[in-house]
Amino acid sequence: MLIQKPADIAPSEITPEGVYFNRRQFMLGSAGLLLSGETLAALAGKKSPLSSADKPNSLKEITTYNNYYEFGTDKSEPALYAGSLKTRPWNVVVDGEVGKARSFGIEELLKQPLEERIYRLRCVEGWSMVIPWIGFPLASLLKQVAPTSRAKYVAFETLQRPAEMPGQRSRVLDWPYREGLRMDEAMHPLTILAVGLYNDVLPNQNGAPIRLVVPWKYGFKSIKSIVRIHLQEQMPATSWNMANAHEYGFYSNVNPEVDHPRWSQASERRIGEFLKRKTLPFNGYGDQVASLYRGMDLRRNF
Amino acid sequence: MTTLRMKNPAASRQPTRFNWLKIAVFLLALLPLARAAWIVLSGMAVNPVEFITRSTGTWTLSFLLITLAISPLRQLSGWSWPLRLRRMLGLYAFFYGSLHLTTYMWLDQFFDWGGMLHDIAKRPFITVGFAAMLLMTPLAITSTQGWMRRLKRNWGRLHRLVYPVAMLGVLHYWWLVKKDLTQPLLYGTALVFLLGWRLYRRWRQP
């Protein structure tokens, strides 16, 4: 008589998919209630084929290890001091080389069709994370203001409010924080404006209430707490480039071949992992974005 | 020497007091390590390797500066007891420096010798940090009574290496930070005062 050995039980047969996918929402809900004492509006985002399959970092890792110099230069400081930032009322002015310049209230921005985008984030300092952002393509916002043919670049500006952003009282950077993208980079489907993460609104230390996320560039390109988006013909000045042009270029695409003058960019430490990983060109998004830079010397245009 | 004295209760009074001081300082100097271990093991550090690297690095610099503060403290206060702690404090600088270097070699580079040689040759902040550790090594080795006797006057000459070691250490920190120079400036200022005091005394008493 043939005795059949039972097949191994797959984890998916034990935990219902719905419970599995919502486990973080449950955790986040309780954490949010504990931390804020108020009800935060949960955000839902449609799943996206552009999301990475990598395992996201924990909410604690994502919200306690931040580079946000407006709240201090130590990575633990934003979580401690960003609570003072008032994110309502909030408006984002979109103007410059556009047909229909206007201001968007945060309530309106939160009503855009939202998607969940699980992206890798590679910091120029040599560490990386995986973050489940909630947001919408920057392109869909830019289309609403009808860019003119002279719109070659997009300039972004962070809020400047030293009373609520203690880091701005020191001259560590030339405030307000500024960033920029070329028009084709800004219109790329991977480029999003994030308004949340882990199915909830953005915590202040992560750039509330609205921030840029450009996953194939070093993290500092993804400017936080945006109040102005200006379309223009000239390449905009950007904060880290202004601070040290020798070390931080306008493009700042993740590139393992081009070292930072003071350290190697060939590998990275994924937060939560012991061994280092090899850094991938364009942070692993080369298939989607390498064509934007065809013919460009990326060693010179670092 | 200490053990001999311990056997003679009549003579043990004075030395015992100093032993207590030494034991206390010995344990105090281990606190930064205990704190770092606690923070890492309890999971409080999101990037533990970065945290260990920074913590051991800044404590190396701190112990170097504390060691360099001993002579000025004695000269300004007239106390002689701080001198008895100097060797131990210097050895602690070497101890934390060794942990710092080990963290880099093991947890950052995973003993990729080619990569490390490349770093030392190409990255000035690593070059000077490595040079500082290299120069500190003979000081740790020759810190014993035996070596003091054997080297005679040269011992003092050799141990003047602590000045370039401290300067290279501060430079290492200075060149490493991305933008905010506050911390390296603090260490740098302290070093300028400690070395400046020595120059001032030399100039005043030819």
PDB file of all heavy atoms in Angstrom, chain A residues 124-155:
ATOM      1  N   VAL A 124      22.747  58.492  -0.356  1.00  0.00           N
ATOM      2  CA  VAL A 124      24.100  58.760  -0.860  1.00  0.00           C
ATOM      3  C   VAL A 124      25.154  58.337   0.172  1.00  0.00           C
ATOM      4  O   VAL A 124      26.308  58.125  -0.151  1.00  0.00           O
ATOM      5  CB  VAL A 124      24.232  60.261  -1.237  1.00  0.00           C
ATOM      6  CG1 VAL A 124      24.306  61.142  -0.002  1.00  0.00           C
ATOM      7  CG2 VAL A 124      25.422  60.501  -2.152  1.00  0.00           C
ATOM      8  N   GLU A 125      24.713  58.172   1.438  1.00  0.00           N
ATOM      9  CA  GLU A 125      25.652  57.788   2.499  1.00  0.00           C
ATOM     10  C   GLU A 125      25.976  56.293   2.501  1.00  0.00           C
ATOM     11  O   GLU A 125      26.812  55.858   3.289  1.00  0.00           O
ATOM     12  CB  GLU A 125      25.075  58.158   3.872  1.00  0.00           C
ATOM     13  CG  GLU A 125      24.890  59.645   4.066  1.00  0.00           C
ATOM     14  CD  GLU A 125      24.028  59.983   5.276  1.00  0.00           C
ATOM     15  OE1 GLU A 125      23.416  59.077   5.872  1.00  0.00           O
ATOM     16  OE2 GLU A 125      23.958  61.169   5.616  1.00  0.00           O
ATOM     17  N   GLY A 126      25.288  55.511   1.674  1.00  0.00           N
ATOM     18  CA  GLY A 126      25.638  54.095   1.592  1.00  0.00           C
ATOM     19  C   GLY A 126      24.704  53.141   2.313  1.00  0.00           C
ATOM     20  O   GLY A 126      25.068  51.996   2.557  1.00  0.00           O
ATOM     21  N   TRP A 127      23.505  53.589   2.658  1.00  0.00           N
ATOM     22  CA  TRP A 127      22.520  52.667   3.230  1.00  0.00           C
ATOM     23  C   TRP A 127      21.250  52.737   2.387  1.00  0.00           C
ATOM     24  O   TRP A 127      21.076  53.675   1.590  1.00  0.00           O
ATOM     25  CB  TRP A 127      22.210  53.002   4.701  1.00  0.00           C
ATOM     26  CG  TRP A 127      21.813  54.420   4.967  1.00  0.00           C
ATOM     27  CD1 TRP A 127      22.651  55.454   5.287  1.00  0.00           C
ATOM     28  CD2 TRP A 127      20.490  54.974   4.935  1.00  0.00           C
ATOM     29  NE1 TRP A 127      21.934  56.607   5.449  1.00  0.00           N
ATOM     30  CE2 TRP A 127      20.611  56.357   5.236  1.00  0.00           C
ATOM     31  CE3 TRP A 127      19.234  54.449   4.681  1.00  0.00           C
ATOM     32  CZ2 TRP A 127      19.509  57.217   5.302  1.00  0.00           C
ATOM     33  CZ3 TRP A 127      18.136  55.296   4.738  1.00  0.00           C
ATOM     34  CH2 TRP A 127      18.287  56.661   5.045  1.00  0.00           C
ATOM     35  N   SER A 128      20.402  51.740   2.558  1.00  0.00           N
ATOM     36  CA  SER A 128      19.169  51.730   1.766  1.00  0.00           C
ATOM     37  C   SER A 128      18.019  51.147   2.572  1.00  0.00           C
ATOM     38  O   SER A 128      18.225  50.499   3.597  1.00  0.00           O
ATOM     39  CB  SER A 128      19.374  50.926   0.483  1.00  0.00           C
ATOM     40  OG  SER A 128      19.641  49.569   0.783  1.00  0.00           O
ATOM     41  N   MET A 129      16.810  51.422   2.102  1.00  0.00           N
ATOM     42  CA  MET A 129      15.584  50.911   2.718  1.00  0.00           C
ATOM     43  C   MET A 129      14.603  50.573   1.604  1.00  0.00           C
ATOM     44  O   MET A 129      14.794  50.958   0.456  1.00  0.00           O
ATOM     45  CB  MET A 129      14.919  51.979   3.584  1.00  0.00           C
ATOM     46  CG  MET A 129      15.558  52.252   4.910  1.00  0.00           C
ATOM     47  SD  MET A 129      14.400  53.197   5.936  1.00  0.00           S
ATOM     48  CE  MET A 129      15.514  53.744   7.215  1.00  0.00           C
ATOM     49  N   VAL A 130      13.533  49.893   1.985  1.00  0.00           N
ATOM     50  CA  VAL A 130      12.406  49.662   1.077  1.00  0.00           C
ATOM     51  C   VAL A 130      11.180  50.251   1.758  1.00  0.00           C
ATOM     52  O   VAL A 130      10.896  49.931   2.920  1.00  0.00           O
ATOM     53  CB  VAL A 130      12.219  48.159   0.802  1.00  0.00           C
ATOM     54  CG1 VAL A 130      11.037  47.944  -0.136  1.00  0.00           C
ATOM     55  CG2 VAL A 130      13.480  47.567   0.214  1.00  0.00           C
ATOM     56  N   ILE A 131      10.481  51.148   1.053  1.00  0.00           N
ATOM     57  CA  ILE A 131       9.406  51.917   1.688  1.00  0.00           C
ATOM     58  C   ILE A 131       8.113  51.820   0.883  1.00  0.00           C
ATOM     59  O   ILE A 131       8.110  52.062  -0.325  1.00  0.00           O
ATOM     60  CB  ILE A 131       9.831  53.401   1.830  1.00  0.00           C
ATOM     61  CG1 ILE A 131      11.151  53.488   2.604  1.00  0.00           C
ATOM     62  CG2 ILE A 131       8.728  54.216   2.525  1.00  0.00           C
ATOM     63  CD1 ILE A 131      11.721  54.880   2.756  1.00  0.00           C
ATOM     64  N   PRO A 132       7.011  51.446   1.545  1.00  0.00           N
ATOM     65  CA  PRO A 132       5.721  51.386   0.838  1.00  0.00           C
ATOM     66  C   PRO A 132       5.026  52.750   0.839  1.00  0.00           C
ATOM     67  O   PRO A 132       4.218  53.055   1.715  1.00  0.00           O
ATOM     68  CB  PRO A 132       4.929  50.347   1.650  1.00  0.00           C
ATOM     69  CG  PRO A 132       5.524  50.374   3.022  1.00  0.00           C
ATOM     70  CD  PRO A 132       6.912  50.949   2.929  1.00  0.00           C
ATOM     71  N   TRP A 133       5.372  53.566  -0.147  1.00  0.00           N
ATOM     72  CA  TRP A 133       4.788  54.903  -0.243  1.00  0.00           C
ATOM     73  C   TRP A 133       3.348  54.833  -0.729  1.00  0.00           C
ATOM     74  O   TRP A 133       2.958  53.896  -1.417  1.00  0.00           O
ATOM     75  CB  TRP A 133       5.561  55.758  -1.254  1.00  0.00           C
ATOM     76  CG  TRP A 133       7.017  55.936  -0.994  1.00  0.00           C
ATOM     77  CD1 TRP A 133       8.044  55.366  -1.687  1.00  0.00           C
ATOM     78  CD2 TRP A 133       7.626  56.743   0.032  1.00  0.00           C
ATOM     79  NE1 TRP A 133       9.250  55.765  -1.174  1.00  0.00           N
ATOM     80  CE2 TRP A 133       9.023  56.609  -0.116  1.00  0.00           C
ATOM     81  CE3 TRP A 133       7.128  57.557   1.045  1.00  0.00           C
ATOM     82  CZ2 TRP A 133       9.936  57.257   0.712  1.00  0.00           C
ATOM     83  CZ3 TRP A 133       8.026  58.201   1.864  1.00  0.00           C
ATOM     84  CH2 TRP A 133       9.409  58.049   1.711  1.00  0.00           C
ATOM     85  N   ILE A 134       2.581  55.872  -0.390  1.00  0.00           N
ATOM     86  CA  ILE A 134       1.269  56.088  -0.994  1.00  0.00           C
ATOM     87  C   ILE A 134       1.365  57.436  -1.701  1.00  0.00           C
ATOM     88  O   ILE A 134       1.782  58.428  -1.084  1.00  0.00           O
ATOM     89  CB  ILE A 134       0.159  56.184   0.077  1.00  0.00           C
ATOM     90  CG1 ILE A 134       0.133  54.944   0.963  1.00  0.00           C
ATOM     91  CG2 ILE A 134      -1.186  56.452  -0.579  1.00  0.00           C
ATOM     92  CD1 ILE A 134      -0.508  53.744   0.367  1.00  0.00           C
ATOM     93  N   GLY A 135       1.016  57.466  -2.968  1.00  0.00           N
ATOM     94  CA  GLY A 135       1.127  58.734  -3.680  1.00  0.00           C
ATOM     95  C   GLY A 135       0.541  58.652  -5.071  1.00  0.00           C
ATOM     96  O   GLY A 135      -0.203  57.724  -5.385  1.00  0.00           O
ATOM     97  N   PHE A 136       0.901  59.650  -5.883  1.00  0.00           N
ATOM     98  CA  PHE A 136       0.407  59.681  -7.261  1.00  0.00           C
ATOM     99  C   PHE A 136       1.526  60.218  -8.142  1.00  0.00           C
ATOM    100  O   PHE A 136       2.433  60.903  -7.645  1.00  0.00           O
ATOM    101  CB  PHE A 136      -0.857  60.551  -7.356  1.00  0.00           C
ATOM    102  CG  PHE A 136      -0.670  61.955  -6.847  1.00  0.00           C
ATOM    103  CD1 PHE A 136      -0.243  62.975  -7.698  1.00  0.00           C
ATOM    104  CD2 PHE A 136      -0.905  62.269  -5.497  1.00  0.00           C
ATOM    105  CE1 PHE A 136      -0.064  64.263  -7.224  1.00  0.00           C
ATOM    106  CE2 PHE A 136      -0.718  63.559  -5.013  1.00  0.00           C
ATOM    107  CZ  PHE A 136      -0.295  64.559  -5.876  1.00  0.00           C
ATOM    108  N   PRO A 137       1.480  59.908  -9.446  1.00  0.00           N
ATOM    109  CA  PRO A 137       2.570  60.360 -10.313  1.00  0.00           C
ATOM    110  C   PRO A 137       2.643  61.886 -10.362  1.00  0.00           C
ATOM    111  O   PRO A 137       1.614  62.552 -10.471  1.00  0.00           O
ATOM    112  CB  PRO A 137       2.197  59.791 -11.688  1.00  0.00           C
ATOM    113  CG  PRO A 137       1.246  58.675 -11.409  1.00  0.00           C
ATOM    114  CD  PRO A 137       0.513  59.068 -10.151  1.00  0.00           C
ATOM    115  N   LEU A 138       3.861  62.406 -10.288  1.00  0.00           N
ATOM    116  CA  LEU A 138       4.056  63.849 -10.417  1.00  0.00           C
ATOM    117  C   LEU A 138       3.493  64.309 -11.766  1.00  0.00           C
ATOM    118  O   LEU A 138       2.922  65.401 -11.889  1.00  0.00           O
ATOM    119  CB  LEU A 138       5.550  64.178 -10.314  1.00  0.00           C
ATOM    120  CG  LEU A 138       5.975  65.619 -10.604  1.00  0.00           C
ATOM    121  CD1 LEU A 138       5.342  66.589  -9.613  1.00  0.00           C
ATOM    122  CD2 LEU A 138       7.497  65.748 -10.587  1.00  0.00           C
ATOM    123  N   ALA A 139       3.630  63.444 -12.782  1.00  0.00           N
ATOM    124  CA  ALA A 139       3.162  63.796 -14.128  1.00  0.00           C
ATOM    125  C   ALA A 139       1.683  64.190 -14.115  1.00  0.00           C
ATOM    126  O   ALA A 139       1.283  65.130 -14.810  1.00  0.00           O
ATOM    127  CB  ALA A 139       3.384  62.626 -15.079  1.00  0.00           C
ATOM    128  N   SER A 140       0.883  63.495 -13.315  1.00  0.00           N
ATOM    129  CA  SER A 140      -0.560  63.789 -13.341  1.00  0.00           C
ATOM    130  C   SER A 140      -0.843  65.176 -12.759  1.00  0.00           C
ATOM    131  O   SER A 140      -1.803  65.838 -13.176  1.00  0.00           O
ATOM    132  CB  SER A 140      -1.351  62.701 -12.612  1.00  0.00           C
ATOM    133  OG  SER A 140      -1.133  62.784 -11.224  1.00  0.00           O
ATOM    134  N   LEU A 141      -0.011  65.636 -11.834  1.00  0.00           N
ATOM    135  CA  LEU A 141      -0.172  66.998 -11.310  1.00  0.00           C
ATOM    136  C   LEU A 141       0.292  68.013 -12.357  1.00  0.00           C
ATOM    137  O   LEU A 141      -0.382  69.019 -12.618  1.00  0.00           O
ATOM    138  CB  LEU A 141       0.642  67.175 -10.021  1.00  0.00           C
ATOM    139  CG  LEU A 141       0.504  68.561  -9.379  1.00  0.00           C
ATOM    140  CD1 LEU A 141      -0.746  68.618  -8.505  1.00  0.00           C
ATOM    141  CD2 LEU A 141       1.724  68.912  -8.556  1.00  0.00           C
ATOM    142  N   LEU A 142       1.460  67.731 -12.971  1.00  0.00           N
ATOM    143  CA  LEU A 142       2.014  68.685 -13.933  1.00  0.00           C
ATOM    144  C   LEU A 142       1.074  68.851 -15.137  1.00  0.00           C
ATOM    145  O   LEU A 142       0.924  69.958 -15.664  1.00  0.00           O
ATOM    146  CB  LEU A 142       3.408  68.239 -14.385  1.00  0.00           C
ATOM    147  CG  LEU A 142       4.479  68.245 -13.279  1.00  0.00           C
ATOM    148  CD1 LEU A 142       5.833  67.821 -13.821  1.00  0.00           C
ATOM    149  CD2 LEU A 142       4.589  69.621 -12.605  1.00  0.00           C
ATOM    150  N   LYS A 143       0.421  67.770 -15.548  1.00  0.00           N
ATOM    151  CA  LYS A 143      -0.508  67.869 -16.689  1.00  0.00           C
ATOM    152  C   LYS A 143      -1.643  68.831 -16.392  1.00  0.00           C
ATOM    153  O   LYS A 143      -2.172  69.483 -17.287  1.00  0.00           O
ATOM    154  CB  LYS A 143      -1.053  66.481 -17.048  1.00  0.00           C
ATOM    155  CG  LYS A 143      -0.068  65.666 -17.885  1.00  0.00           C
ATOM    156  CD  LYS A 143      -0.550  64.235 -18.078  1.00  0.00           C
ATOM    157  CE  LYS A 143       0.587  63.344 -18.573  1.00  0.00           C
ATOM    158  NZ  LYS A 143       0.343  61.928 -18.231  1.00  0.00           N
ATOM    159  N   GLN A 144      -2.013  68.934 -15.112  1.00  0.00           N
ATOM    160  CA  GLN A 144      -3.137  69.810 -14.745  1.00  0.00           C
ATOM    161  C   GLN A 144      -2.805  71.290 -14.882  1.00  0.00           C
ATOM    162  O   GLN A 144      -3.705  72.121 -14.894  1.00  0.00           O
ATOM    163  CB  GLN A 144      -3.584  69.519 -13.306  1.00  0.00           C
ATOM    164  CG  GLN A 144      -4.175  68.122 -13.135  1.00  0.00           C
ATOM    165  CD  GLN A 144      -4.531  67.825 -11.685  1.00  0.00           C
ATOM    166  OE1 GLN A 144      -5.130  68.647 -10.994  1.00  0.00           O
ATOM    167  NE2 GLN A 144      -4.161  66.645 -11.225  1.00  0.00           N
ATOM    168  N   VAL A 145      -1.495  71.624 -14.952  1.00  0.00           N
ATOM    169  CA  VAL A 145      -1.138  73.044 -15.075  1.00  0.00           C
ATOM    170  C   VAL A 145      -0.669  73.398 -16.487  1.00  0.00           C
ATOM    171  O   VAL A 145      -0.274  74.537 -16.737  1.00  0.00           O
ATOM    172  CB  VAL A 145      -0.046  73.452 -14.047  1.00  0.00           C
ATOM    173  CG1 VAL A 145      -0.581  73.356 -12.634  1.00  0.00           C
ATOM    174  CG2 VAL A 145       1.204  72.609 -14.225  1.00  0.00           C
ATOM    175  N   ALA A 146      -0.698  72.434 -17.388  1.00  0.00           N
ATOM    176  CA  ALA A 146      -0.360  72.660 -18.797  1.00  0.00           C
ATOM    177  C   ALA A 146       1.009  73.314 -18.993  1.00  0.00           C
ATOM    178  O   ALA A 146       1.105  74.515 -19.284  1.00  0.00           O
ATOM    179  CB  ALA A 146      -1.454  73.501 -19.470  1.00  0.00           C
ATOM    180  N   PRO A 147       2.090  72.531 -18.851  1.00  0.00           N
ATOM    181  CA  PRO A 147       3.432  73.080 -19.049  1.00  0.00           C
ATOM    182  C   PRO A 147       3.594  73.629 -20.477  1.00  0.00           C
ATOM    183  O   PRO A 147       3.054  73.062 -21.424  1.00  0.00           O
ATOM    184  CB  PRO A 147       4.347  71.858 -18.848  1.00  0.00           C
ATOM    185  CG  PRO A 147       3.540  70.874 -18.092  1.00  0.00           C
ATOM    186  CD  PRO A 147       2.116  71.096 -18.477  1.00  0.00           C
ATOM    187  N   THR A 148       4.324  74.725 -20.622  1.00  0.00           N
ATOM    188  CA  THR A 148       4.579  75.272 -21.956  1.00  0.00           C
ATOM    189  C   THR A 148       5.790  74.563 -22.555  1.00  0.00           C
ATOM    190  O   THR A 148       6.455  73.770 -21.881  1.00  0.00           O
ATOM    191  CB  THR A 148       4.888  76.778 -21.871  1.00  0.00           C
ATOM    192  OG1 THR A 148       6.175  76.944 -21.275  1.00  0.00           O
ATOM    193  CG2 THR A 148       3.839  77.517 -21.050  1.00  0.00           C
ATOM    194  N   SER A 149       6.087  74.873 -23.814  1.00  0.00           N
ATOM    195  CA  SER A 149       7.214  74.206 -24.481  1.00  0.00           C
ATOM    196  C   SER A 149       8.543  74.657 -23.881  1.00  0.00           C
ATOM    197  O   SER A 149       9.583  74.051 -24.108  1.00  0.00           O
ATOM    198  CB  SER A 149       7.177  74.507 -25.975  1.00  0.00           C
ATOM    199  OG  SER A 149       7.272  75.913 -26.162  1.00  0.00           O
ATOM    200  N   ARG A 150       8.521  75.751 -23.142  1.00  0.00           N
ATOM    201  CA  ARG A 150       9.772  76.233 -22.528  1.00  0.00           C
ATOM    202  C   ARG A 150      10.051  75.582 -21.170  1.00  0.00           C
ATOM    203  O   ARG A 150      11.078  75.850 -20.556  1.00  0.00           O
ATOM    204  CB  ARG A 150       9.730  77.746 -22.385  1.00  0.00           C
ATOM    205  CG  ARG A 150      10.017  78.442 -23.715  1.00  0.00           C
ATOM    206  CD  ARG A 150      10.484  79.829 -23.475  1.00  0.00           C
ATOM    207  NE  ARG A 150       9.478  80.564 -22.707  1.00  0.00           N
ATOM    208  CZ  ARG A 150       9.155  81.835 -22.941  1.00  0.00           C
ATOM    209  NH1 ARG A 150       9.760  82.498 -23.900  1.00  0.00           N
ATOM    210  NH2 ARG A 150       8.243  82.441 -22.206  1.00  0.00           N
ATOM    211  N   ALA A 151       9.142  74.757 -20.721  1.00  0.00           N
ATOM    212  CA  ALA A 151       9.360  74.081 -19.432  1.00  0.00           C
ATOM    213  C   ALA A 151      10.337  72.935 -19.640  1.00  0.00           C
ATOM    214  O   ALA A 151       9.964  71.864 -20.112  1.00  0.00           O
ATOM    215  CB  ALA A 151       8.030  73.575 -18.877  1.00  0.00           C
ATOM    216  N   LYS A 152      11.619  73.169 -19.306  1.00  0.00           N
ATOM    217  CA  LYS A 152      12.651  72.137 -19.500  1.00  0.00           C
ATOM    218  C   LYS A 152      13.016  71.467 -18.169  1.00  0.00           C
ATOM    219  O   LYS A 152      13.521  70.356 -18.143  1.00  0.00           O
ATOM    220  CB  LYS A 152      13.923  72.782 -20.085  1.00  0.00           C
ATOM    221  CG  LYS A 152      13.712  73.465 -21.433  1.00  0.00           C
ATOM    222  CD  LYS A 152      13.717  72.446 -22.555  1.00  0.00           C
ATOM    223  CE  LYS A 152      13.894  73.106 -23.919  1.00  0.00           C
ATOM    224  NZ  LYS A 152      12.719  73.941 -24.290  1.00  0.00           N
ATOM    225  N   TYR A 153      12.807  72.196 -17.088  1.00  0.00           N
ATOM    226  CA  TYR A 153      13.176  71.691 -15.755  1.00  0.00           C
ATOM    227  C   TYR A 153      12.065  71.982 -14.761  1.00  0.00           C
ATOM    228  O   TYR A 153      11.258  72.894 -14.968  1.00  0.00           O
ATOM    229  CB  TYR A 153      14.459  72.361 -15.256  1.00  0.00           C
ATOM    230  CG  TYR A 153      15.686  71.971 -16.029  1.00  0.00           C
ATOM    231  CD1 TYR A 153      16.120  72.740 -17.108  1.00  0.00           C
ATOM    232  CD2 TYR A 153      16.423  70.846 -15.673  1.00  0.00           C
ATOM    233  CE1 TYR A 153      17.250  72.387 -17.824  1.00  0.00           C
ATOM    234  CE2 TYR A 153      17.557  70.489 -16.390  1.00  0.00           C
ATOM    235  CZ  TYR A 153      17.965  71.258 -17.457  1.00  0.00           C
ATOM    236  OH  TYR A 153      19.081  70.899 -18.166  1.00  0.00           O
ATOM    237  N   VAL A 154      12.076  71.202 -13.675  1.00  0.00           N
ATOM    238  CA  VAL A 154      11.127  71.438 -12.595  1.00  0.00           C
ATOM    239  C   VAL A 154      11.932  71.705 -11.321  1.00  0.00           C
ATOM    240  O   VAL A 154      12.806  70.906 -10.954  1.00  0.00           O
ATOM    241  CB  VAL A 154      10.207  70.220 -12.373  1.00  0.00           C
ATOM    242  CG1 VAL A 154       9.141  70.543 -11.337  1.00  0.00           C
ATOM    243  CG2 VAL A 154       9.565  69.794 -13.686  1.00  0.00           C
ATOM    244  N   ALA A 155      11.672  72.845 -10.688  1.00  0.00           N
ATOM    245  CA  ALA A 155      12.354  73.189  -9.436  1.00  0.00           C
ATOM    246  C   ALA A 155      11.383  73.002  -8.275  1.00  0.00           C
ATOM    247  O   ALA A 155      10.209  73.350  -8.384  1.00  0.00           O
ATOM    248  CB  ALA A 155      12.847  74.636  -9.488  1.00  0.00           C
TER     249      ALA A 155
END
